[in-house]
Amino acid sequence: MDKKNALRAGAVTAGTTLMMLLMTSPALALTRDDGDDPGQGLSIAQTLGLYVALPIVLFLVIAGLVMVGDKSDRKQTQG
């Protein structure tokens, strides 16, 4: 009985995926829309800086601020 349900689930998933692929239209990325005014493309360094380095730096800054705020609430105990 378990194999039957797994087969049915796989068939439904495959059928749904196939229908979605057949029903979607192409992205038409080369067709310009009215009011479309793209700028210059980004270089590899700019892309890496914007989508890799900047989020890492922002994460580190936020984590540092949280750590500083957390340490200020603790009382120093001497043992």
Side-chain angles (χ1 to χ4, degrees):
M1 200 55 125
D2 193 54
K3 286 185 179 183
K4 193 175 189 180
N5 286 339
L7 185 62
R8 182 180 299 145
V12 168
T13 303
T16 304
T17 303
L18 182 63
M19 288 304 294
M20 286 174 55
L21 287 173
L22 291 175
M23 298 298 287
T24 56
S25 62
L28 300 173
L30 297 177
T31 303
R32 299 286 300 267
D33 291 330
D34 291 338
D36 190 16
D37 189 19
Q40 295 292 327
L42 298 176
S43 70
I44 293 175
Q46 290 172 329
T47 303
L48 289 175
L50 184 62
Y51 295 108
V52 176
L54 186 62
I56 291 172
V57 169
L58 286 174
F59 172 78
L60 293 175
V61 167
I62 292 170
L65 290 172
V66 168
M67 289 173 64
V68 167
D70 185 44
K71 287 183 181 177
S72 64
D73 291 342
R74 295 185 192 171
K75 294 181 181 178
Q76 296 292 334
T77 59
Q78 295 180 357

Short mmCIF file of all heavy atoms in Angstrom, two decimals:
data_model
loop_
_atom_site.label_atom_id
_atom_site.label_comp_id
_atom_site.label_asym_id
_atom_site.label_seq_id
_atom_site.Cartn_x
_atom_site.Cartn_y
_atom_site.Cartn_z
N MET A 1 0.82 -1.19 0.00
CA MET A 1 0.00 0.00 0.00
C MET A 1 0.87 1.26 0.00
O MET A 1 0.51 2.26 -0.57
CB MET A 1 -0.91 -0.02 1.24
CG MET A 1 -2.11 0.88 1.13
SD MET A 1 -3.08 0.54 -0.33
CE MET A 1 -4.66 0.25 0.35
N ASP A 2 2.03 1.20 0.66
CA ASP A 2 2.92 2.36 0.74
C ASP A 2 3.52 2.70 -0.61
O ASP A 2 3.66 3.86 -0.96
CB ASP A 2 4.01 2.10 1.78
CG ASP A 2 4.75 3.36 2.14
OD1 ASP A 2 4.08 4.34 2.50
OD2 ASP A 2 5.99 3.37 2.03
N LYS A 3 3.88 1.65 -1.39
CA LYS A 3 4.45 1.88 -2.72
C LYS A 3 3.42 2.51 -3.65
O LYS A 3 3.76 3.33 -4.50
CB LYS A 3 4.95 0.57 -3.31
CG LYS A 3 6.22 0.07 -2.69
CD LYS A 3 6.72 -1.16 -3.40
CE LYS A 3 8.01 -1.66 -2.79
NZ LYS A 3 8.53 -2.83 -3.52
N LYS A 4 2.17 2.14 -3.46
CA LYS A 4 1.11 2.68 -4.31
C LYS A 4 0.95 4.19 -4.07
O LYS A 4 0.81 4.97 -5.02
CB LYS A 4 -0.19 1.95 -4.01
CG LYS A 4 -1.28 2.17 -5.00
CD LYS A 4 -2.46 1.29 -4.64
CE LYS A 4 -3.49 1.32 -5.75
NZ LYS A 4 -4.64 0.46 -5.43
N ASN A 5 0.98 4.59 -2.80
CA ASN A 5 0.86 6.02 -2.48
C ASN A 5 2.07 6.80 -2.97
O ASN A 5 1.95 7.92 -3.45
CB ASN A 5 0.69 6.21 -0.98
CG ASN A 5 -0.70 5.82 -0.50
OD1 ASN A 5 -1.63 5.77 -1.29
ND2 ASN A 5 -0.81 5.51 0.78
N ALA A 6 3.26 6.21 -2.84
CA ALA A 6 4.47 6.87 -3.32
C ALA A 6 4.44 7.02 -4.83
O ALA A 6 4.84 8.07 -5.37
CB ALA A 6 5.70 6.09 -2.87
N LEU A 7 3.98 6.01 -5.51
CA LEU A 7 3.88 6.08 -6.98
C LEU A 7 2.87 7.13 -7.40
O LEU A 7 3.11 7.90 -8.34
CB LEU A 7 3.50 4.70 -7.53
CG LEU A 7 3.47 4.57 -9.04
CD1 LEU A 7 4.86 4.83 -9.62
CD2 LEU A 7 2.98 3.18 -9.44
N ARG A 8 1.76 7.18 -6.68
CA ARG A 8 0.73 8.17 -6.99
C ARG A 8 1.27 9.59 -6.75
O ARG A 8 1.08 10.49 -7.57
CB ARG A 8 -0.50 7.94 -6.14
CG ARG A 8 -1.63 8.90 -6.44
CD ARG A 8 -2.85 8.66 -5.60
NE ARG A 8 -3.36 7.32 -5.86
CZ ARG A 8 -3.91 6.55 -4.93
NH1 ARG A 8 -4.01 6.97 -3.69
NH2 ARG A 8 -4.37 5.35 -5.23
N ALA A 9 1.96 9.79 -5.64
CA ALA A 9 2.52 11.11 -5.33
C ALA A 9 3.56 11.51 -6.37
O ALA A 9 3.62 12.67 -6.80
CB ALA A 9 3.14 11.11 -3.94
N GLY A 10 4.40 10.57 -6.79
CA GLY A 10 5.39 10.86 -7.82
C GLY A 10 4.75 11.21 -9.14
O GLY A 10 5.20 12.11 -9.85
N ALA A 11 3.69 10.50 -9.50
CA ALA A 11 3.00 10.77 -10.76
C ALA A 11 2.33 12.15 -10.74
O ALA A 11 2.38 12.89 -11.73
CB ALA A 11 1.97 9.68 -11.03
N VAL A 12 1.72 12.48 -9.60
CA VAL A 12 1.08 13.80 -9.50
C VAL A 12 2.13 14.91 -9.56
O VAL A 12 1.94 15.91 -10.25
CB VAL A 12 0.26 13.89 -8.19
CG1 VAL A 12 -0.18 15.32 -7.91
CG2 VAL A 12 -0.94 12.96 -8.27
N THR A 13 3.23 14.72 -8.88
CA THR A 13 4.30 15.73 -8.90
C THR A 13 4.88 15.89 -10.30
O THR A 13 5.07 17.02 -10.78
CB THR A 13 5.41 15.35 -7.91
OG1 THR A 13 4.84 15.21 -6.61
CG2 THR A 13 6.51 16.39 -7.88
N ALA A 14 5.16 14.78 -10.95
CA ALA A 14 5.71 14.84 -12.31
C ALA A 14 4.71 15.48 -13.27
O ALA A 14 5.08 16.31 -14.12
CB ALA A 14 6.10 13.44 -12.78
N GLY A 15 3.45 15.11 -13.15
CA GLY A 15 2.43 15.69 -14.03
C GLY A 15 2.26 17.18 -13.81
O GLY A 15 2.14 17.95 -14.77
N THR A 16 2.26 17.58 -12.56
CA THR A 16 2.12 19.01 -12.25
C THR A 16 3.31 19.80 -12.78
O THR A 16 3.15 20.87 -13.37
CB THR A 16 1.99 19.20 -10.73
OG1 THR A 16 0.90 18.42 -10.26
CG2 THR A 16 1.77 20.65 -10.38
N THR A 17 4.50 19.26 -12.58
CA THR A 17 5.70 19.94 -13.07
C THR A 17 5.69 20.05 -14.59
O THR A 17 6.00 21.11 -15.16
CB THR A 17 6.96 19.18 -12.61
OG1 THR A 17 6.94 19.09 -11.19
CG2 THR A 17 8.22 19.90 -13.05
N LEU A 18 5.31 18.98 -15.26
CA LEU A 18 5.25 19.00 -16.72
C LEU A 18 4.23 20.01 -17.21
O LEU A 18 4.49 20.77 -18.16
CB LEU A 18 4.92 17.60 -17.24
CG LEU A 18 4.87 17.44 -18.75
CD1 LEU A 18 6.24 17.73 -19.35
CD2 LEU A 18 4.40 16.06 -19.12
N MET A 19 3.06 20.05 -16.59
CA MET A 19 2.04 21.01 -17.01
C MET A 19 2.49 22.45 -16.77
O MET A 19 2.22 23.34 -17.59
CB MET A 19 0.73 20.73 -16.27
CG MET A 19 0.02 19.48 -16.73
SD MET A 19 -0.32 19.45 -18.49
CE MET A 19 -1.48 20.79 -18.62
N MET A 20 3.18 22.69 -15.65
CA MET A 20 3.67 24.04 -15.39
C MET A 20 4.69 24.45 -16.43
O MET A 20 4.71 25.60 -16.89
CB MET A 20 4.26 24.12 -13.98
CG MET A 20 3.21 24.13 -12.89
SD MET A 20 3.89 24.06 -11.22
CE MET A 20 5.00 25.43 -11.21
N LEU A 21 5.56 23.54 -16.81
CA LEU A 21 6.56 23.86 -17.82
C LEU A 21 5.93 24.11 -19.18
O LEU A 21 6.38 24.98 -19.93
CB LEU A 21 7.59 22.73 -17.91
CG LEU A 21 8.57 22.62 -16.75
CD1 LEU A 21 9.41 21.35 -16.89
CD2 LEU A 21 9.46 23.84 -16.70
N LEU A 22 4.91 23.35 -19.51
CA LEU A 22 4.26 23.53 -20.82
C LEU A 22 3.41 24.78 -20.87
O LEU A 22 3.26 25.39 -21.94
CB LEU A 22 3.41 22.30 -21.13
CG LEU A 22 4.18 21.02 -21.42
CD1 LEU A 22 3.20 19.85 -21.59
CD2 LEU A 22 5.06 21.16 -22.64
N MET A 23 2.83 25.19 -19.74
CA MET A 23 1.91 26.32 -19.74
C MET A 23 2.61 27.67 -19.60
O MET A 23 2.01 28.69 -19.90
CB MET A 23 0.89 26.16 -18.61
CG MET A 23 0.00 24.93 -18.74
SD MET A 23 -1.01 24.93 -20.22
CE MET A 23 -2.20 26.17 -19.78
N THR A 24 3.84 27.67 -19.12
CA THR A 24 4.51 28.95 -18.93
C THR A 24 5.04 29.46 -20.26
O THR A 24 5.48 28.71 -21.12
CB THR A 24 5.68 28.83 -17.94
OG1 THR A 24 6.57 27.81 -18.39
CG2 THR A 24 5.18 28.50 -16.56
N SER A 25 5.02 30.75 -20.41
CA SER A 25 5.55 31.35 -21.62
C SER A 25 7.02 31.68 -21.42
O SER A 25 7.50 31.79 -20.29
CB SER A 25 4.78 32.63 -21.96
OG SER A 25 4.91 33.56 -20.92
N PRO A 26 7.76 31.84 -22.48
CA PRO A 26 9.18 32.19 -22.32
C PRO A 26 9.34 33.55 -21.65
O PRO A 26 8.44 34.39 -21.66
CB PRO A 26 9.72 32.22 -23.74
CG PRO A 26 8.55 32.18 -24.63
CD PRO A 26 7.38 31.68 -23.86
N ALA A 27 10.49 33.75 -21.07
CA ALA A 27 10.73 34.98 -20.32
C ALA A 27 10.78 36.21 -21.22
O ALA A 27 10.51 37.32 -20.77
CB ALA A 27 12.03 34.86 -19.54
N LEU A 28 11.11 36.03 -22.46
CA LEU A 28 11.21 37.14 -23.41
C LEU A 28 12.15 38.23 -22.89
O LEU A 28 11.82 39.40 -22.87
CB LEU A 28 9.82 37.73 -23.71
CG LEU A 28 8.81 36.76 -24.32
CD1 LEU A 28 7.44 37.40 -24.40
CD2 LEU A 28 9.26 36.29 -25.68
N ALA A 29 13.30 37.80 -22.44
CA ALA A 29 14.26 38.74 -21.85
C ALA A 29 14.81 39.72 -22.88
O ALA A 29 15.25 40.80 -22.52
CB ALA A 29 15.40 37.96 -21.21
N LEU A 30 14.78 39.36 -24.15
CA LEU A 30 15.33 40.24 -25.18
C LEU A 30 14.30 41.24 -25.68
O LEU A 30 14.64 42.16 -26.42
CB LEU A 30 15.85 39.41 -26.35
CG LEU A 30 17.02 38.48 -25.99
CD1 LEU A 30 17.42 37.65 -27.21
CD2 LEU A 30 18.20 39.28 -25.49
N THR A 31 13.04 41.07 -25.31
CA THR A 31 12.00 41.99 -25.75
C THR A 31 11.93 43.17 -24.79
O THR A 31 11.77 42.99 -23.59
CB THR A 31 10.63 41.28 -25.78
OG1 THR A 31 10.74 40.14 -26.62
CG2 THR A 31 9.56 42.20 -26.28
N ARG A 32 12.08 44.35 -25.31
CA ARG A 32 12.04 45.55 -24.48
C ARG A 32 10.61 45.96 -24.21
O ARG A 32 9.75 45.92 -25.09
CB ARG A 32 12.78 46.69 -25.18
CG ARG A 32 14.25 46.47 -25.47
CD ARG A 32 15.10 46.57 -24.23
NE ARG A 32 15.00 47.87 -23.61
CZ ARG A 32 15.81 48.88 -23.85
NH1 ARG A 32 16.81 48.73 -24.69
NH2 ARG A 32 15.64 50.02 -23.24
N ASP A 33 10.32 46.38 -22.99
CA ASP A 33 9.01 46.87 -22.61
C ASP A 33 9.00 48.38 -22.69
O ASP A 33 10.04 49.05 -22.68
CB ASP A 33 8.66 46.45 -21.19
CG ASP A 33 8.43 44.95 -21.07
OD1 ASP A 33 7.98 44.36 -22.07
OD2 ASP A 33 8.69 44.40 -19.99
N ASP A 34 7.80 48.96 -22.75
CA ASP A 34 7.67 50.41 -22.73
C ASP A 34 8.17 50.95 -21.39
O ASP A 34 7.84 50.44 -20.34
CB ASP A 34 6.21 50.83 -22.92
CG ASP A 34 5.72 50.54 -24.33
OD1 ASP A 34 6.57 50.43 -25.23
OD2 ASP A 34 4.50 50.45 -24.52
N GLY A 35 8.98 51.97 -21.43
CA GLY A 35 9.52 52.56 -20.23
C GLY A 35 10.74 51.84 -19.68
O GLY A 35 11.26 52.21 -18.65
N ASP A 36 11.19 50.81 -20.37
CA ASP A 36 12.35 50.05 -19.92
C ASP A 36 13.61 50.83 -20.26
O ASP A 36 13.83 51.19 -21.41
CB ASP A 36 12.36 48.69 -20.62
CG ASP A 36 13.38 47.75 -20.05
OD1 ASP A 36 13.86 48.02 -18.95
OD2 ASP A 36 13.69 46.74 -20.70
N ASP A 37 14.41 51.12 -19.26
CA ASP A 37 15.62 51.89 -19.47
C ASP A 37 16.75 51.25 -18.68
O ASP A 37 17.15 51.76 -17.62
CB ASP A 37 15.41 53.33 -19.05
CG ASP A 37 16.57 54.22 -19.44
OD1 ASP A 37 17.35 53.83 -20.33
OD2 ASP A 37 16.70 55.31 -18.84
N PRO A 38 17.29 50.12 -19.14
CA PRO A 38 18.34 49.46 -18.39
C PRO A 38 19.64 50.26 -18.42
O PRO A 38 19.95 50.93 -19.40
CB PRO A 38 18.51 48.12 -19.09
CG PRO A 38 18.08 48.38 -20.49
CD PRO A 38 16.99 49.41 -20.39
N GLY A 39 20.37 50.19 -17.33
CA GLY A 39 21.64 50.88 -17.26
C GLY A 39 22.77 49.97 -17.72
O GLY A 39 22.55 48.92 -18.33
N GLN A 40 23.99 50.39 -17.43
CA GLN A 40 25.16 49.59 -17.77
C GLN A 40 25.19 48.35 -16.89
O GLN A 40 24.77 48.38 -15.74
CB GLN A 40 26.43 50.41 -17.57
CG GLN A 40 26.55 51.59 -18.49
CD GLN A 40 26.73 51.16 -19.94
OE1 GLN A 40 27.35 50.15 -20.21
NE2 GLN A 40 26.18 51.94 -20.85
N GLY A 41 25.73 47.27 -17.43
CA GLY A 41 25.86 46.05 -16.66
C GLY A 41 26.94 46.17 -15.60
O GLY A 41 27.81 47.03 -15.67
N LEU A 42 26.89 45.31 -14.60
CA LEU A 42 27.88 45.32 -13.54
C LEU A 42 29.06 44.44 -13.92
O LEU A 42 28.89 43.41 -14.58
CB LEU A 42 27.28 44.78 -12.23
CG LEU A 42 26.12 45.57 -11.63
CD1 LEU A 42 25.58 44.84 -10.42
CD2 LEU A 42 26.57 46.95 -11.27
N SER A 43 30.24 44.83 -13.48
CA SER A 43 31.41 43.99 -13.69
C SER A 43 31.37 42.85 -12.68
O SER A 43 30.55 42.83 -11.76
CB SER A 43 32.69 44.80 -13.53
OG SER A 43 32.85 45.16 -12.17
N ILE A 44 32.28 41.90 -12.82
CA ILE A 44 32.33 40.77 -11.89
C ILE A 44 32.65 41.26 -10.48
O ILE A 44 32.05 40.81 -9.51
CB ILE A 44 33.37 39.73 -12.37
CG1 ILE A 44 32.89 39.09 -13.66
CG2 ILE A 44 33.59 38.67 -11.31
CD1 ILE A 44 33.88 38.15 -14.29
N ALA A 45 33.58 42.19 -10.37
CA ALA A 45 33.95 42.71 -9.05
C ALA A 45 32.78 43.44 -8.40
O ALA A 45 32.53 43.29 -7.20
CB ALA A 45 35.16 43.63 -9.17
N GLN A 46 32.06 44.24 -9.18
CA GLN A 46 30.91 44.95 -8.64
C GLN A 46 29.80 43.97 -8.21
O GLN A 46 29.17 44.15 -7.18
CB GLN A 46 30.35 45.92 -9.68
CG GLN A 46 31.24 47.10 -9.94
CD GLN A 46 30.75 47.93 -11.11
OE1 GLN A 46 30.15 47.42 -12.05
NE2 GLN A 46 31.02 49.23 -11.05
N THR A 47 29.59 42.94 -9.01
CA THR A 47 28.56 41.94 -8.68
C THR A 47 28.92 41.21 -7.40
O THR A 47 28.07 41.03 -6.52
CB THR A 47 28.40 40.94 -9.84
OG1 THR A 47 28.07 41.66 -11.03
CG2 THR A 47 27.31 39.94 -9.54
N LEU A 48 30.17 40.77 -7.28
CA LEU A 48 30.59 40.07 -6.06
C LEU A 48 30.52 40.99 -4.85
O LEU A 48 30.13 40.57 -3.76
CB LEU A 48 32.00 39.51 -6.23
CG LEU A 48 32.13 38.32 -7.18
CD1 LEU A 48 33.60 37.94 -7.35
CD2 LEU A 48 31.33 37.14 -6.69
N GLY A 49 30.91 42.24 -5.03
CA GLY A 49 30.85 43.20 -3.92
C GLY A 49 29.43 43.45 -3.47
O GLY A 49 29.14 43.52 -2.28
N LEU A 50 28.51 43.58 -4.43
CA LEU A 50 27.13 43.90 -4.11
C LEU A 50 26.37 42.72 -3.53
O LEU A 50 25.60 42.87 -2.58
CB LEU A 50 26.42 44.40 -5.38
CG LEU A 50 24.99 44.89 -5.22
CD1 LEU A 50 24.93 46.08 -4.28
CD2 LEU A 50 24.42 45.25 -6.58
N TYR A 51 26.58 41.54 -4.07
CA TYR A 51 25.76 40.39 -3.67
C TYR A 51 26.47 39.41 -2.74
O TYR A 51 25.84 38.49 -2.24
CB TYR A 51 25.26 39.64 -4.91
CG TYR A 51 24.32 40.48 -5.74
CD1 TYR A 51 24.72 40.99 -6.97
CD2 TYR A 51 23.06 40.78 -5.28
CE1 TYR A 51 23.86 41.77 -7.72
CE2 TYR A 51 22.20 41.56 -6.01
CZ TYR A 51 22.60 42.04 -7.24
OH TYR A 51 21.75 42.81 -7.97
N VAL A 52 27.77 39.58 -2.50
CA VAL A 52 28.49 38.69 -1.60
C VAL A 52 29.10 39.47 -0.44
O VAL A 52 28.81 39.22 0.72
CB VAL A 52 29.59 37.89 -2.35
CG1 VAL A 52 30.38 37.04 -1.39
CG2 VAL A 52 28.96 37.02 -3.43
N ALA A 53 29.96 40.43 -0.75
CA ALA A 53 30.70 41.14 0.29
C ALA A 53 29.79 42.03 1.13
O ALA A 53 29.90 42.04 2.37
CB ALA A 53 31.82 41.97 -0.34
N LEU A 54 28.91 42.78 0.50
CA LEU A 54 28.05 43.69 1.24
C LEU A 54 27.14 42.98 2.24
O LEU A 54 27.05 43.40 3.40
CB LEU A 54 27.23 44.55 0.28
CG LEU A 54 26.38 45.65 0.90
CD1 LEU A 54 27.26 46.66 1.62
CD2 LEU A 54 25.56 46.33 -0.16
N PRO A 55 26.47 41.89 1.87
CA PRO A 55 25.67 41.17 2.88
C PRO A 55 26.51 40.62 4.03
O PRO A 55 26.06 40.63 5.18
CB PRO A 55 25.00 40.04 2.09
CG PRO A 55 24.96 40.52 0.70
CD PRO A 55 26.19 41.34 0.53
N ILE A 56 27.72 40.13 3.74
CA ILE A 56 28.58 39.62 4.80
C ILE A 56 28.97 40.75 5.75
O ILE A 56 28.94 40.59 6.98
CB ILE A 56 29.81 38.92 4.21
CG1 ILE A 56 29.39 37.62 3.51
CG2 ILE A 56 30.85 38.63 5.28
CD1 ILE A 56 30.50 36.94 2.74
N VAL A 57 29.35 41.90 5.20
CA VAL A 57 29.73 43.04 6.03
C VAL A 57 28.54 43.51 6.87
O VAL A 57 28.69 43.79 8.07
CB VAL A 57 30.28 44.19 5.15
CG1 VAL A 57 30.42 45.48 5.94
CG2 VAL A 57 31.61 43.78 4.54
N LEU A 58 27.37 43.58 6.27
CA LEU A 58 26.18 44.00 7.03
C LEU A 58 25.87 43.01 8.15
O LEU A 58 25.52 43.41 9.26
CB LEU A 58 24.98 44.14 6.10
CG LEU A 58 24.98 45.37 5.20
CD1 LEU A 58 23.81 45.31 4.22
CD2 LEU A 58 24.92 46.63 6.02
N PHE A 59 26.01 41.72 7.87
CA PHE A 59 25.78 40.71 8.90
C PHE A 59 26.76 40.89 10.05
O PHE A 59 26.38 40.84 11.22
CB PHE A 59 25.91 39.30 8.31
CG PHE A 59 25.87 38.22 9.36
CD1 PHE A 59 24.68 37.83 9.91
CD2 PHE A 59 27.04 37.64 9.81
CE1 PHE A 59 24.63 36.84 10.88
CE2 PHE A 59 27.02 36.65 10.77
CZ PHE A 59 25.81 36.25 11.32
N LEU A 60 28.04 41.11 9.73
CA LEU A 60 29.04 41.27 10.77
C LEU A 60 28.81 42.53 11.60
O LEU A 60 28.99 42.52 12.82
CB LEU A 60 30.44 41.28 10.16
CG LEU A 60 30.90 39.95 9.54
CD1 LEU A 60 32.24 40.13 8.85
CD2 LEU A 60 30.96 38.86 10.59
N VAL A 61 28.39 43.61 10.96
CA VAL A 61 28.10 44.85 11.69
C VAL A 61 26.93 44.64 12.62
O VAL A 61 26.98 45.03 13.81
CB VAL A 61 27.83 46.01 10.70
CG1 VAL A 61 27.23 47.22 11.41
CG2 VAL A 61 29.12 46.40 9.98
N ILE A 62 25.85 44.03 12.13
CA ILE A 62 24.68 43.80 12.97
C ILE A 62 25.01 42.85 14.11
O ILE A 62 24.62 43.09 15.26
CB ILE A 62 23.50 43.28 12.12
CG1 ILE A 62 23.02 44.38 11.17
CG2 ILE A 62 22.35 42.81 13.00
CD1 ILE A 62 22.05 43.91 10.12
N ALA A 63 25.75 41.77 13.82
CA ALA A 63 26.14 40.83 14.87
C ALA A 63 27.03 41.52 15.91
O ALA A 63 26.89 41.28 17.11
CB ALA A 63 26.87 39.63 14.26
N GLY A 64 27.94 42.38 15.47
CA GLY A 64 28.79 43.12 16.40
C GLY A 64 27.99 44.05 17.29
O GLY A 64 28.23 44.14 18.49
N LEU A 65 27.01 44.74 16.72
CA LEU A 65 26.17 45.63 17.51
C LEU A 65 25.35 44.85 18.54
O LEU A 65 25.17 45.30 19.68
CB LEU A 65 25.25 46.45 16.61
CG LEU A 65 25.93 47.52 15.75
CD1 LEU A 65 24.94 48.12 14.77
CD2 LEU A 65 26.55 48.59 16.62
N VAL A 66 24.86 43.69 18.15
CA VAL A 66 24.11 42.85 19.08
C VAL A 66 25.01 42.37 20.21
O VAL A 66 24.62 42.38 21.39
CB VAL A 66 23.47 41.65 18.35
CG1 VAL A 66 22.92 40.63 19.33
CG2 VAL A 66 22.36 42.14 17.42
N MET A 67 26.23 41.98 19.89
CA MET A 67 27.16 41.51 20.92
C MET A 67 27.53 42.63 21.88
O MET A 67 27.61 42.42 23.09
CB MET A 67 28.41 40.91 20.27
CG MET A 67 28.16 39.60 19.58
SD MET A 67 29.56 38.99 18.66
CE MET A 67 30.73 38.73 19.96
N VAL A 68 27.76 43.82 21.36
CA VAL A 68 28.09 44.96 22.23
C VAL A 68 26.91 45.29 23.13
O VAL A 68 27.08 45.55 24.32
CB VAL A 68 28.50 46.18 21.37
CG1 VAL A 68 28.55 47.45 22.21
CG2 VAL A 68 29.84 45.92 20.71
N GLY A 69 25.71 45.28 22.58
CA GLY A 69 24.53 45.55 23.39
C GLY A 69 24.29 44.48 24.43
O GLY A 69 23.82 44.76 25.53
N ASP A 70 24.61 43.25 24.14
CA ASP A 70 24.42 42.15 25.07
C ASP A 70 25.42 42.22 26.21
O ASP A 70 25.09 41.95 27.36
CB ASP A 70 24.53 40.82 24.35
CG ASP A 70 24.22 39.64 25.25
OD1 ASP A 70 23.24 39.73 25.99
OD2 ASP A 70 24.96 38.65 25.20
N LYS A 71 26.65 42.60 25.93
CA LYS A 71 27.69 42.65 26.95
C LYS A 71 27.46 43.80 27.93
O LYS A 71 27.88 43.74 29.07
CB LYS A 71 29.07 42.79 26.31
CG LYS A 71 29.57 41.52 25.66
CD LYS A 71 30.95 41.70 25.10
CE LYS A 71 31.42 40.42 24.44
NZ LYS A 71 32.73 40.58 23.82
N SER A 72 26.80 44.85 27.49
CA SER A 72 26.62 45.99 28.38
C SER A 72 25.62 45.69 29.49
O SER A 72 25.62 46.33 30.52
CB SER A 72 26.14 47.20 27.58
OG SER A 72 24.86 46.95 27.03
N ASP A 73 24.74 44.69 29.33
CA ASP A 73 23.74 44.36 30.33
C ASP A 73 24.31 43.45 31.41
O ASP A 73 23.70 43.31 32.48
CB ASP A 73 22.52 43.69 29.67
CG ASP A 73 21.74 44.66 28.83
OD1 ASP A 73 21.91 45.87 29.01
OD2 ASP A 73 20.95 44.21 27.98
N ARG A 74 25.40 42.79 31.18
CA ARG A 74 25.96 41.85 32.15
C ARG A 74 26.69 42.59 33.27
O ARG A 74 27.37 43.58 33.03
CB ARG A 74 26.92 40.88 31.48
CG ARG A 74 26.26 39.97 30.50
CD ARG A 74 27.23 38.97 29.97
NE ARG A 74 26.67 38.27 28.84
CZ ARG A 74 27.35 37.46 28.06
NH1 ARG A 74 28.63 37.28 28.28
NH2 ARG A 74 26.78 36.86 27.06
N LYS A 75 26.56 42.07 34.46
CA LYS A 75 27.31 42.62 35.59
C LYS A 75 28.62 41.84 35.75
O LYS A 75 28.64 40.63 35.61
CB LYS A 75 26.51 42.52 36.87
CG LYS A 75 25.27 43.38 36.86
CD LYS A 75 24.51 43.25 38.16
CE LYS A 75 23.26 44.11 38.12
NZ LYS A 75 22.49 43.98 39.35
N GLN A 76 29.66 42.56 36.02
CA GLN A 76 30.97 41.91 36.21
C GLN A 76 31.01 41.31 37.62
O GLN A 76 30.79 42.01 38.60
CB GLN A 76 32.10 42.92 36.05
CG GLN A 76 32.21 43.50 34.65
CD GLN A 76 32.65 42.45 33.63
OE1 GLN A 76 33.32 41.48 33.98
NE2 GLN A 76 32.25 42.64 32.39
N THR A 77 31.28 40.02 37.69
CA THR A 77 31.41 39.36 38.99
C THR A 77 32.87 39.00 39.20
O THR A 77 33.55 38.56 38.30
CB THR A 77 30.55 38.08 39.05
OG1 THR A 77 30.96 37.20 38.00
CG2 THR A 77 29.08 38.41 38.88
N GLN A 78 33.33 39.21 40.41
CA GLN A 78 34.70 38.87 40.73
C GLN A 78 34.69 37.62 41.59
O GLN A 78 33.96 37.51 42.55
CB GLN A 78 35.38 40.01 41.49
CG GLN A 78 35.51 41.25 40.64
CD GLN A 78 36.18 42.37 41.41
OE1 GLN A 78 36.50 42.23 42.57
NE2 GLN A 78 36.41 43.48 40.72
N GLY A 79 35.54 36.64 41.18
CA GLY A 79 35.53 35.37 41.87
C GLY A 79 36.63 35.15 42.79
O GLY A 79 37.54 35.42 43.29
#
